Amino acid sequence: MSRPVVTRFAPSPTGMLHIGGVRTALFCWLFAKKHGGTFILRVEDTDLTRSTDDNIRIIEEGMAWCGLLWDEGPVVGDPAQWVGPHGPYRQMQRMDSHYKPAIQSLLDEGKAYRCRCTKEELDERRAAADKAGKIFQYDRRCREAGHDDTQPAAIRLKMPVGPEPWLEQGDIVLRDLIKGELRFPATSLDDWIIARTAAAGEKVGTPTYNFCVVVDDTDMAVSHVIRGDDHVANTPKQIALYHAMGYETPAFAHVPMILGKDGAKLSKRHGATSITEYQQMGFLPSAVRLALARLSWTPKIDGRAIDTAAEELLTDVQMIELFDLGDIQKSPARFDMDKLNWMNQKLIQRATWQEIEPHFRPFLPEAWGGKSDDWKAKAIQCTQKGKSLVEMAGFLDFVWAAPTAFDEAAAAKFLTGAVKPALADLCVLTDYSHDGLEAGFNAILEAHSLKLKDLAQALRVALCGKPVSPPIFDTLMLLGRDEVVARISKWL
RNA sequence: GGGGCCAUCGUCUAGGGGUUAGGACACCGCCCUUUCACGGCGGCAGCACGGGUUCAAAUCCCGUUGGCCCUACCA
């Protein structure tokens, strides 16, 4: 129990980075940070047919974008390199160095055996059992057969068939940090395959997922296995393997799944599922972290659950401080886009323009780069009412090009003969500071007996083509005098 | 089919024998306002069902129903 805290996120690079995975990674990260521990990224790429380097890169970049930086793991974009003392961190690179020796010693110690039953035979027996309404379990017929390595064989682990000191009343007990105590009768598990049938010429085939996980988690000194709920059923198998190999078992915490709006497992048909899509939709990484963390997790402040809107908006520092696996829900949660939007908006409001700028930039035209800091600060300030970076960028569309189309109804309503003389007067103004504009406006309004509202709306239509824009003085400042005069002139 | 997990407003949740069942998002209304927004105030809305136990059940027990996960020589 005094082991240093080490957590790991171990995705398979078989597609995009799913936000469910990101949330699991986030919990691992929060837990590690909270306890001053280590967070590892390990790539489980043993599924040769689906794993690709591109997918590995997508995972690495998604994690990095989300701010979930790993202390140990691969170096982004360079398969040959890694950071940390337990590498490599891609499973395919650990085959000969780690898995095969481990399997061999299990074989040597008589804790695993060669099974010559073929997949086809097994499928047949399974189908027959199904048909007869029976539960299929491998009958261990090769267990004592003493097959040598002269013929192709898969390798199975000998699961306990009698009493073992680590069983509790015949059960494999999993004391899950989230789910509580879970019991699995040892007899309900059969001798599972730890290595596939070897190709011709090989003595040991490729190891299976459940085997690699245990070897790697032990080798990498993982103290807390925090992973998705879908792995609960694998855990008793893995616990048996820990004991067979003489390893200390880590602590386990299985986090609930994320479901879609309709309660089905979150999938593409519910909308965006990959982290990259959330990036493209204009969410701040901090908002994604918050929304994901708050799904299934209710932070407690001094033992009291957070209780106000203000308390909902936790910073990373607060999340790390407050994080406790015991405060995670057991039941699955439905993903709520509305809440993400709200959090995004609030975090955008709270951020300084410098904090927003690097995330905002990708949504803006190149001309943005040529603007001064003062101008950028003003522009961002004018858009901080937006719900997303995309929406914010939309608020600035009027800056980059003069309108090509005008809202005719609005033009008819606001660009009246009565205001046009005032517009002409406006072209004379040269002081584009806030105070200068205010003074200039007041004089013009008085001279023409107009209300600010009348002039502001007319100006919006003339300048932006529609009656919607940032506060009118800000709109003028962002455009600059030359552009304002040019755009007004068309209406005089 | 078998095994496991779960069940409080539409959603995320607090509460875990006696509460007017609390909060947040969404939604609705009002106010503010130079547009759109922001903001402020208020409102609507919930213990899946059926049996127990108890003076008392959202809370404990059993059952039902429903949902999710697992049930591969995938991960």
Side-chain angles (χ1 to χ4, degrees):
Chain A
M1 275 288 80
S2 54
R3 300 209 234 180
V5 167
V6 179
T7 62
R8 105 275 125 125
F9 176 55
S12 299
T14 55
M16 44 55 163
L17 179 56
H18 194 280
I19 56 166
V22 173
R23 189 183 60 148
T24 305
L26 176 61
F27 286 149
C28 293
W29 181 83
L30 285 170
F31 188 78
K33 294 298 159 204
K34 159 105 183 184
H35 297 284
T38 304
F39 173 57
I40 298 175
L41 176 64
R42 181 174 74 223
V43 179
E44 312 219 320
D45 58 348
T46 56
D47 185 340
L48 273 359
T49 59
R50 294 191 295 163
S51 300
T52 67
D53 278 359
D54 266 359
N55 288 335
I56 293 177
R57 193 177 199 118
I58 285 168
I59 287 169
E60 292 168 347
E61 288 174 352
M63 293 279 290
W65 175 77
C66 219
L68 300 177
L69 302 177
W70 50 98
D71 304 304
E72 295 180 26
V75 168
V76 177
D78 188 347
Q81 291 199 63
W82 63 81
V83 178
H86 307 294
Y89 294 87
R90 286 161 74 140
Q91 288 187 326
M92 283 310 291
Q93 297 174 342
R94 300 169 62 81
M95 208 53 71
D96 294 333
S97 56
H98 292 77
Y99 310 135
K100 295 202 171 171
I103 289 168
Q104 192 55 53
S105 61
L106 238 25
L107 244 18
D108 293 344
E109 292 165 33
K111 291 174 175 168
Y113 61 94
R114 293 176 183 279
C115 169
R116 290 181 181 170
C117 302
T118 65
K119 183 156 183 1
E120 291 68 32
E121 288 166 357
L122 259 11
D123 286 344
E124 266 172 44
R125 284 186 238 162
R126 199 186 328 271
D130 276 356
K131 208 168 180 178
K134 289 180 186 163
I135 305 156
F136 176 77
Q137 238 188 325
Y138 176 65
D139 59 12
R140 310 181 206 241
R141 65 177 63 178
C142 294
R143 180 157 167 153
E144 305 304 337
H147 293 313
D148 57 31
D149 58 16
T150 55
Q151 286 183 48
I155 295 166
R156 290 182 186 266
L157 181 71
K158 288 184 180 172
M159 291 292 277
V161 289
E164 294 281 347
W166 53 274
L167 293 176
E168 299 179 31
Q169 288 126 34
D171 291 340
I172 297 176
V173 178
L174 161 59
R175 291 194 175 75
D176 194 277
L177 266 19
I178 293 172
K179 304 254 172 203
E181 183 178 295
L182 269 26
R183 291 178 160 265
F184 305 85
T187 52
S188 69
L189 299 163
D190 56 14
D191 292 345
W192 54 282
I193 291 174
I194 59 175
R196 301 177 184 89
T197 303
E202 296 275 328
K203 287 188 177 177
V204 173
T206 56
T208 57
Y209 163 77
N210 282 117
F211 181 81
C212 297
V213 167
V214 170
V215 170
D216 288 343
D217 284 342
T218 301
D219 180 61
M220 295 177 185
V222 172
S223 64
H224 295 256
V225 172
I226 301 169
R227 70 206 336 180
D229 222 346
D230 48 339
H231 289 290
V232 170
N234 287 325
T235 311
K237 292 184 192 175
Q238 293 178 10
I239 288 175
L241 181 57
Y242 278 102
H243 288 287
M245 312 224 2
Y247 292 159
E248 184 184 352
T249 53
F252 292 97
H254 289 93
V255 313
M257 304 272 91
I258 298 181
L259 309 178
K261 199 96 190 163
D262 61 356
K265 188 174 180 176
L266 188 66
S267 66
K268 286 193 190 84
R269 73 190 167 82
H270 297 291
T273 52
S274 89
I275 196 71
T276 314
E277 289 173 274
Y278 287 86
Q279 180 179 1
Q280 289 164 350
M281 284 187 284
F283 291 104
L284 251 22
S286 54
V288 172
R289 284 196 295 274
L290 216 211
L292 254 20
R294 290 290 285 102
L295 215 53
S296 300
W297 174 47
T298 304
K300 303 274 172 69
I301 301 170
D302 297 328
R304 192 201 87 240
I306 60 174
D307 201 36
T308 63
E311 285 177 346
E312 288 279 348
L313 301 168
L314 301 166
T315 62
D316 286 334
V317 173
Q318 289 173 305
M319 285 201 280
I320 290 167
E321 192 179 298
L322 263 21
F323 190 69
D324 188 339
L325 290 170
D327 293 327
I328 292 179
Q329 211 70 17
K330 291 181 185 176
S331 50
R334 302 182 191 209
F335 183 69
D336 185 2
M337 189 61 106
D338 288 331
K339 204 138 190 173
L340 207 209
N341 276 315
W342 176 75
M343 287 170 168
N344 200 223
Q345 182 173 44
K346 290 297 185 182
L347 261 28
I348 285 170
Q349 281 173 13
R350 291 186 167 199
T352 63
W353 78 268
Q354 290 97 332
E355 288 167 334
I356 292 175
E357 206 272 343
H359 302 291
F360 196 22
R361 200 180 192 116
F363 296 91
L364 296 163
E366 276 188 31
W368 173 267
K371 300 292 189 181
S372 70
D373 280 359
D374 282 350
W375 191 94
K376 287 178 183 169
K378 170 63 72 183
I380 289 177
Q381 183 196 316
C382 285
T383 62
Q384 279 180 279
K385 59 185 178 178
K387 280 188 169 62
S388 73
L389 298 168
V390 171
E391 191 181 354
M392 288 167 69
F395 292 151
L396 256 22
D397 280 347
F398 76 93
V399 171
W400 316 116
T404 52
F406 291 86
D407 180 333
E408 285 180 34
K413 184 175 176 187
F414 299 116
L415 280 167
T416 60
V419 295
K420 286 190 180 177
L423 288 182
D425 285 1
L426 274 176
C427 294
V428 180
L429 297 183
T430 53
D431 183 351
Y432 268 54
S433 69
H434 184 95
D435 291 347
L437 284 170
E438 190 167 38
F441 266 63
N442 285 148
I444 293 168
L445 290 172
E446 199 169 328
H448 297 271
S449 296
L450 290 169
K451 289 179 188 167
L452 177 57
K453 190 171 187 170
D454 304 322
L455 190 52
Q457 288 306 84
L459 263 175
R460 286 194 168 94
V461 177
L463 298 174
C464 310
K466 58 188 184 190
V468 176
S469 85
I472 197 64
F473 297 156
D474 292 333
T475 303
L476 297 190
M477 282 186 262
L478 289 175
L479 247 20
R481 180 172 187 272
D482 292 347
E483 187 66 21
V484 168
V485 171
R487 293 191 190 183
I488 288 179
S489 300
K490 295 188 176 179
W491 291 89
L492 299 178

